[in-house]
Amino acid sequence: MYSSGNPTNIANPIKDASVRIDLKTIDGRLTLFETTLCKKLSLVELDEHIDLDPQGYLTAYNKDDIQLICCQADGSISWLVPPIVQARFVQSLKWSMNIIFSWQFNRARPKGKEVVKYELILQDQDLPRPVEVMEVLNGTSNSFRIYNVYPRYFRVTGSGDVRFLEQAVRLVTGDLVLNHGSLEWWSFHDIDASNVSVCGELAGPMAIIVSEETPQGILGETLSKFSIWGLYITFVLAVGRFIRLQCADLRMRIPFENLPSCDRLLAICEDIYAARAEGELEVEEVLYWILVKIYRSPHMLLEYTKGD
């Protein structure tokens, strides 16, 4: 019971990760690249000679909370957009174009917030020229580059929010490639992934994540799920208001509560019940109005409830 009320922090690693890149115009949104094939490595599993943090971004965090996420460069879905739809979509690129990159992580806790999604809309200066995207979709080219897509280092808080590491400003740049064959599919090649040799052939999206510990126990899970503001609203405002309503206007109830003796009042109530049972409705009404008259007059109520 004590441990349930007294929260202790335990590790909360990333269980699954996926990446998605969407192309959005005024005509709608198409998914270019998506993969759920991501390898997760904790810092303690890596070779001690591999330095993931040459700039010292991670020194303030527990090694057990740090993970390296390495994803396949090739998407796990095929490009199956019908030619007529693709042709219309290409025309809409002349008017507007946005590229949206998103990470999605699954963790065991907190309850109700197991899935964490981080989404970033690329700035205009980081987008390729619309003509470059049109050439890839029309088949005259096979790739285009997008800049400053997402931060290499970030952390997932205990409450399920994604934050940049305070001092880390390095962003990832990569190439989107449309592969042709019996089927077509997109690939995302992280042009800086070669700097981290531990990913091996996984040259797709790569990130170093700090998944913060979460408290366990009743109080800990409540704090993780609702945050301190949710706890304040629930207990201080809701429970406090309920207690205040129960204790409000106590002075108005003093004449009707804690009476010295209620035997006479109970006798009148029993007589009302007996008259009703015998069908003496006129007698019942007379007794009822006598009882009402007593309660309307504090003086009469005091006289009828005096002790012997």
Side-chain angles (χ1 to χ4, degrees), residues 178-208:
L178 180 57
N179 302 279
H180 301 280
S182 57
L183 292 175
E184 294 184 335
W185 72 97
W186 288 87
S187 300
F188 178 83
H189 295 276
D190 184 343
I191 62 174
D192 298 322
S194 58
N195 296 336
V196 184
S197 58
V198 70
C199 283
E201 297 179 353
L202 301 178
M206 189 274 286
I208 300 167

mmCIF file of all heavy atoms in Angstrom, residues 178-208:
data_model
loop_
_atom_site.group_PDB
_atom_site.id
_atom_site.type_symbol
_atom_site.label_atom_id
_atom_site.label_comp_id
_atom_site.label_asym_id
_atom_site.label_seq_id
_atom_site.Cartn_x
_atom_site.Cartn_y
_atom_site.Cartn_z
ATOM 1 N N LEU A 178 12.300 7.630 -55.248
ATOM 2 C CA LEU A 178 11.228 6.772 -55.751
ATOM 3 C C LEU A 178 11.863 5.649 -56.568
ATOM 4 O O LEU A 178 12.447 5.884 -57.628
ATOM 5 C CB LEU A 178 10.248 7.575 -56.605
ATOM 6 C CG LEU A 178 9.066 6.793 -57.187
ATOM 7 C CD1 LEU A 178 8.261 6.102 -56.087
ATOM 8 C CD2 LEU A 178 8.163 7.708 -58.012
ATOM 9 N N ASN A 179 11.764 4.429 -56.044
ATOM 10 C CA ASN A 179 12.374 3.266 -56.685
ATOM 11 C C ASN A 179 11.387 2.636 -57.666
ATOM 12 O O ASN A 179 10.193 2.488 -57.369
ATOM 13 C CB ASN A 179 12.767 2.232 -55.626
ATOM 14 C CG ASN A 179 13.715 2.807 -54.592
ATOM 15 O OD1 ASN A 179 14.915 2.902 -54.806
ATOM 16 N ND2 ASN A 179 13.164 3.226 -53.451
ATOM 17 N N HIS A 180 11.898 2.228 -58.832
ATOM 18 C CA HIS A 180 11.067 1.633 -59.876
ATOM 19 C C HIS A 180 11.441 0.166 -60.052
ATOM 20 O O HIS A 180 12.595 -0.228 -59.938
ATOM 21 C CB HIS A 180 11.255 2.382 -61.198
ATOM 22 C CG HIS A 180 10.899 3.833 -61.117
ATOM 23 N ND1 HIS A 180 9.606 4.297 -61.173
ATOM 24 C CD2 HIS A 180 11.691 4.933 -60.956
ATOM 25 C CE1 HIS A 180 9.597 5.613 -61.067
ATOM 26 N NE2 HIS A 180 10.857 6.033 -60.935
ATOM 27 N N GLY A 181 10.442 -0.645 -60.326
ATOM 28 C CA GLY A 181 10.632 -2.073 -60.546
ATOM 29 C C GLY A 181 9.284 -2.687 -60.854
ATOM 30 O O GLY A 181 8.389 -2.031 -61.401
ATOM 31 N N SER A 182 9.125 -3.962 -60.500
ATOM 32 C CA SER A 182 7.799 -4.557 -60.659
ATOM 33 C C SER A 182 6.787 -3.830 -59.784
ATOM 34 O O SER A 182 5.607 -3.734 -60.116
ATOM 35 C CB SER A 182 7.848 -6.046 -60.296
ATOM 36 O OG SER A 182 8.333 -6.215 -58.963
ATOM 37 N N LEU A 183 7.268 -3.320 -58.655
ATOM 38 C CA LEU A 183 6.502 -2.426 -57.794
ATOM 39 C C LEU A 183 7.324 -1.165 -57.565
ATOM 40 O O LEU A 183 8.549 -1.171 -57.693
ATOM 41 C CB LEU A 183 6.185 -3.093 -56.451
ATOM 42 C CG LEU A 183 5.204 -4.270 -56.467
ATOM 43 C CD1 LEU A 183 5.104 -4.878 -55.067
ATOM 44 C CD2 LEU A 183 3.817 -3.837 -56.942
ATOM 45 N N GLU A 184 6.643 -0.087 -57.222
ATOM 46 C CA GLU A 184 7.332 1.157 -56.901
ATOM 47 C C GLU A 184 7.229 1.415 -55.409
ATOM 48 O O GLU A 184 6.202 1.136 -54.786
ATOM 49 C CB GLU A 184 6.726 2.326 -57.689
ATOM 50 C CG GLU A 184 6.925 2.226 -59.186
ATOM 51 C CD GLU A 184 6.381 3.454 -59.912
ATOM 52 O OE1 GLU A 184 5.469 4.102 -59.355
ATOM 53 O OE2 GLU A 184 6.864 3.754 -61.012
ATOM 54 N N TRP A 185 8.303 1.936 -54.835
ATOM 55 C CA TRP A 185 8.297 2.273 -53.416
ATOM 56 C C TRP A 185 9.272 3.413 -53.172
ATOM 57 O O TRP A 185 10.182 3.658 -53.956
ATOM 58 C CB TRP A 185 8.665 1.054 -52.562
ATOM 59 C CG TRP A 185 10.115 0.654 -52.625
ATOM 60 C CD1 TRP A 185 11.104 0.979 -51.754
ATOM 61 C CD2 TRP A 185 10.748 -0.141 -53.639
ATOM 62 N NE1 TRP A 185 12.307 0.454 -52.139
ATOM 63 C CE2 TRP A 185 12.111 -0.254 -53.295
ATOM 64 C CE3 TRP A 185 10.290 -0.766 -54.805
ATOM 65 C CZ2 TRP A 185 13.026 -0.955 -54.069
ATOM 66 C CZ3 TRP A 185 11.195 -1.472 -55.576
ATOM 67 C CH2 TRP A 185 12.538 -1.565 -55.200
ATOM 68 N N TRP A 186 9.040 4.116 -52.066
ATOM 69 C CA TRP A 186 9.876 5.250 -51.705
ATOM 70 C C TRP A 186 10.934 4.832 -50.697
ATOM 71 O O TRP A 186 10.727 3.919 -49.899
ATOM 72 C CB TRP A 186 9.032 6.372 -51.107
ATOM 73 C CG TRP A 186 8.179 7.102 -52.099
ATOM 74 C CD1 TRP A 186 6.924 6.768 -52.499
ATOM 75 C CD2 TRP A 186 8.525 8.295 -52.808
ATOM 76 N NE1 TRP A 186 6.452 7.667 -53.417
ATOM 77 C CE2 TRP A 186 7.419 8.625 -53.627
ATOM 78 C CE3 TRP A 186 9.649 9.115 -52.846
ATOM 79 C CZ2 TRP A 186 7.407 9.737 -54.456
ATOM 80 C CZ3 TRP A 186 9.640 10.228 -53.670
ATOM 81 C CH2 TRP A 186 8.542 10.529 -54.467
ATOM 82 N N SER A 187 12.043 5.536 -50.733
ATOM 83 C CA SER A 187 13.118 5.347 -49.753
ATOM 84 C C SER A 187 13.521 6.707 -49.196
ATOM 85 O O SER A 187 13.440 7.723 -49.896
ATOM 86 C CB SER A 187 14.342 4.676 -50.384
ATOM 87 O OG SER A 187 14.016 3.413 -50.911
ATOM 88 N N PHE A 188 13.946 6.693 -47.942
ATOM 89 C CA PHE A 188 14.508 7.899 -47.321
ATOM 90 C C PHE A 188 15.916 7.565 -46.863
ATOM 91 O O PHE A 188 16.118 6.663 -46.046
ATOM 92 C CB PHE A 188 13.662 8.361 -46.137
ATOM 93 C CG PHE A 188 14.234 9.568 -45.433
ATOM 94 C CD1 PHE A 188 13.990 10.842 -45.912
ATOM 95 C CD2 PHE A 188 15.030 9.426 -44.299
ATOM 96 C CE1 PHE A 188 14.521 11.957 -45.273
ATOM 97 C CE2 PHE A 188 15.564 10.527 -43.656
ATOM 98 C CZ PHE A 188 15.309 11.800 -44.141
ATOM 99 N N HIS A 189 16.890 8.290 -47.391
ATOM 100 C CA HIS A 189 18.290 8.053 -47.055
ATOM 101 C C HIS A 189 18.814 9.221 -46.223
ATOM 102 O O HIS A 189 18.902 10.353 -46.709
ATOM 103 C CB HIS A 189 19.132 7.890 -48.327
ATOM 104 C CG HIS A 189 18.769 6.680 -49.131
ATOM 105 N ND1 HIS A 189 19.265 5.428 -48.863
ATOM 106 C CD2 HIS A 189 17.926 6.533 -50.191
ATOM 107 C CE1 HIS A 189 18.770 4.557 -49.724
ATOM 108 N NE2 HIS A 189 17.950 5.195 -50.539
ATOM 109 N N ASP A 190 19.121 8.918 -44.983
ATOM 110 C CA ASP A 190 19.722 9.901 -44.080
ATOM 111 C C ASP A 190 21.165 10.106 -44.528
ATOM 112 O O ASP A 190 21.994 9.199 -44.416
ATOM 113 C CB ASP A 190 19.644 9.377 -42.648
ATOM 114 C CG ASP A 190 20.162 10.378 -41.624
ATOM 115 O OD1 ASP A 190 20.860 11.333 -42.017
ATOM 116 O OD2 ASP A 190 19.877 10.193 -40.431
ATOM 117 N N ILE A 191 21.472 11.282 -45.044
ATOM 118 C CA ILE A 191 22.803 11.490 -45.621
ATOM 119 C C ILE A 191 23.889 11.569 -44.552
ATOM 120 O O ILE A 191 25.077 11.494 -44.875
ATOM 121 C CB ILE A 191 22.837 12.762 -46.496
ATOM 122 C CG1 ILE A 191 22.539 14.002 -45.653
ATOM 123 C CG2 ILE A 191 21.851 12.643 -47.646
ATOM 124 C CD1 ILE A 191 22.696 15.299 -46.426
ATOM 125 N N ASP A 192 23.486 11.704 -43.278
ATOM 126 C CA ASP A 192 24.470 11.751 -42.198
ATOM 127 C C ASP A 192 24.506 10.466 -41.386
ATOM 128 O O ASP A 192 25.230 10.384 -40.396
ATOM 129 C CB ASP A 192 24.172 12.924 -41.252
ATOM 130 C CG ASP A 192 24.264 14.260 -41.968
ATOM 131 O OD1 ASP A 192 25.153 14.393 -42.818
ATOM 132 O OD2 ASP A 192 23.446 15.151 -41.677
ATOM 133 N N ALA A 193 23.703 9.465 -41.763
ATOM 134 C CA ALA A 193 23.633 8.242 -40.959
ATOM 135 C C ALA A 193 24.949 7.482 -40.951
ATOM 136 O O ALA A 193 25.217 6.696 -40.042
ATOM 137 C CB ALA A 193 22.521 7.335 -41.480
ATOM 138 N N SER A 194 25.796 7.712 -41.957
ATOM 139 C CA SER A 194 27.081 7.014 -42.004
ATOM 140 C C SER A 194 27.980 7.401 -40.840
ATOM 141 O O SER A 194 28.937 6.697 -40.521
ATOM 142 C CB SER A 194 27.788 7.320 -43.328
ATOM 143 O OG SER A 194 27.976 8.724 -43.477
ATOM 144 N N ASN A 195 27.655 8.529 -40.193
ATOM 145 C CA ASN A 195 28.458 8.945 -39.040
ATOM 146 C C ASN A 195 28.262 8.015 -37.849
ATOM 147 O O ASN A 195 29.060 8.000 -36.924
ATOM 148 C CB ASN A 195 28.094 10.378 -38.635
ATOM 149 C CG ASN A 195 28.445 11.374 -39.723
ATOM 150 O OD1 ASN A 195 29.316 11.121 -40.545
ATOM 151 N ND2 ASN A 195 27.757 12.509 -39.740
ATOM 152 N N VAL A 196 27.160 7.262 -37.845
ATOM 153 C CA VAL A 196 26.880 6.322 -36.757
ATOM 154 C C VAL A 196 26.974 4.919 -37.338
ATOM 155 O O VAL A 196 26.017 4.384 -37.887
ATOM 156 C CB VAL A 196 25.487 6.574 -36.145
ATOM 157 C CG1 VAL A 196 25.262 5.647 -34.962
ATOM 158 C CG2 VAL A 196 25.351 8.026 -35.711
ATOM 159 N N SER A 197 28.137 4.313 -37.235
ATOM 160 C CA SER A 197 28.383 3.035 -37.899
ATOM 161 C C SER A 197 27.594 1.897 -37.281
ATOM 162 O O SER A 197 27.421 0.857 -37.910
ATOM 163 C CB SER A 197 29.884 2.714 -37.836
ATOM 164 O OG SER A 197 30.327 2.671 -36.482
ATOM 165 N N VAL A 198 27.084 2.063 -36.057
ATOM 166 C CA VAL A 198 26.382 0.976 -35.398
ATOM 167 C C VAL A 198 25.090 0.624 -36.122
ATOM 168 O O VAL A 198 24.595 -0.497 -36.005
ATOM 169 C CB VAL A 198 26.096 1.340 -33.927
ATOM 170 C CG1 VAL A 198 25.041 2.439 -33.835
ATOM 171 C CG2 VAL A 198 25.659 0.119 -33.139
ATOM 172 N N CYS A 199 24.534 1.541 -36.900
ATOM 173 C CA CYS A 199 23.310 1.243 -37.644
ATOM 174 C C CYS A 199 23.577 0.323 -38.828
ATOM 175 O O CYS A 199 22.630 -0.218 -39.407
ATOM 176 C CB CYS A 199 22.658 2.541 -38.133
ATOM 177 S SG CYS A 199 21.774 3.454 -36.833
ATOM 178 N N GLY A 200 24.818 0.168 -39.200
ATOM 179 C CA GLY A 200 25.156 -0.749 -40.278
ATOM 180 C C GLY A 200 24.509 -0.349 -41.589
ATOM 181 O O GLY A 200 24.652 0.777 -42.060
ATOM 182 N N GLU A 201 23.763 -1.296 -42.180
ATOM 183 C CA GLU A 201 23.126 -1.041 -43.465
ATOM 184 C C GLU A 201 21.825 -0.257 -43.334
ATOM 185 O O GLU A 201 21.213 0.084 -44.345
ATOM 186 C CB GLU A 201 22.845 -2.374 -44.167
ATOM 187 C CG GLU A 201 24.109 -3.165 -44.498
ATOM 188 C CD GLU A 201 23.788 -4.479 -45.176
ATOM 189 O OE1 GLU A 201 22.579 -4.809 -45.261
ATOM 190 O OE2 GLU A 201 24.721 -5.166 -45.620
ATOM 191 N N LEU A 202 21.397 0.005 -42.125
ATOM 192 C CA LEU A 202 20.155 0.756 -41.919
ATOM 193 C C LEU A 202 20.444 2.244 -42.073
ATOM 194 O O LEU A 202 20.752 2.945 -41.118
ATOM 195 C CB LEU A 202 19.575 0.455 -40.535
ATOM 196 C CG LEU A 202 19.255 -1.017 -40.249
ATOM 197 C CD1 LEU A 202 18.726 -1.183 -38.840
ATOM 198 C CD2 LEU A 202 18.248 -1.544 -41.260
ATOM 199 N N ALA A 203 20.337 2.720 -43.308
ATOM 200 C CA ALA A 203 20.692 4.108 -43.616
ATOM 201 C C ALA A 203 19.467 4.999 -43.710
ATOM 202 O O ALA A 203 19.523 6.078 -44.291
ATOM 203 C CB ALA A 203 21.474 4.168 -44.925
ATOM 204 N N GLY A 204 18.359 4.536 -43.150
ATOM 205 C CA GLY A 204 17.140 5.340 -43.167
ATOM 206 C C GLY A 204 17.098 6.308 -42.006
ATOM 207 O O GLY A 204 18.134 6.690 -41.454
ATOM 208 N N PRO A 205 15.909 6.730 -41.608
ATOM 209 C CA PRO A 205 15.796 7.660 -40.478
ATOM 210 C C PRO A 205 16.465 7.100 -39.231
ATOM 211 O O PRO A 205 16.275 5.934 -38.874
ATOM 212 C CB PRO A 205 14.281 7.797 -40.290
ATOM 213 C CG PRO A 205 13.701 7.460 -41.623
ATOM 214 C CD PRO A 205 14.596 6.416 -42.204
ATOM 215 N N MET A 206 17.245 7.926 -38.574
ATOM 216 C CA MET A 206 17.971 7.519 -37.382
ATOM 217 C C MET A 206 17.888 8.633 -36.352
ATOM 218 O O MET A 206 18.014 9.806 -36.692
ATOM 219 C CB MET A 206 19.426 7.208 -37.730
ATOM 220 C CG MET A 206 20.218 6.565 -36.590
ATOM 221 S SD MET A 206 20.949 7.768 -35.461
ATOM 222 C CE MET A 206 22.287 8.374 -36.463
ATOM 223 N N ALA A 207 17.642 8.260 -35.105
ATOM 224 C CA ALA A 207 17.525 9.256 -34.042
ATOM 225 C C ALA A 207 18.057 8.675 -32.744
ATOM 226 O O ALA A 207 18.079 7.454 -32.548
ATOM 227 C CB ALA A 207 16.081 9.713 -33.871
ATOM 228 N N ILE A 208 18.488 9.556 -31.870
ATOM 229 C CA ILE A 208 18.945 9.187 -30.531
ATOM 230 C C ILE A 208 17.955 9.802 -29.550
ATOM 231 O O ILE A 208 17.794 11.025 -29.498
ATOM 232 C CB ILE A 208 20.374 9.694 -30.277
ATOM 233 C CG1 ILE A 208 21.326 9.072 -31.307
ATOM 234 C CG2 ILE A 208 20.815 9.363 -28.863
ATOM 235 C CD1 ILE A 208 22.683 9.719 -31.354
#
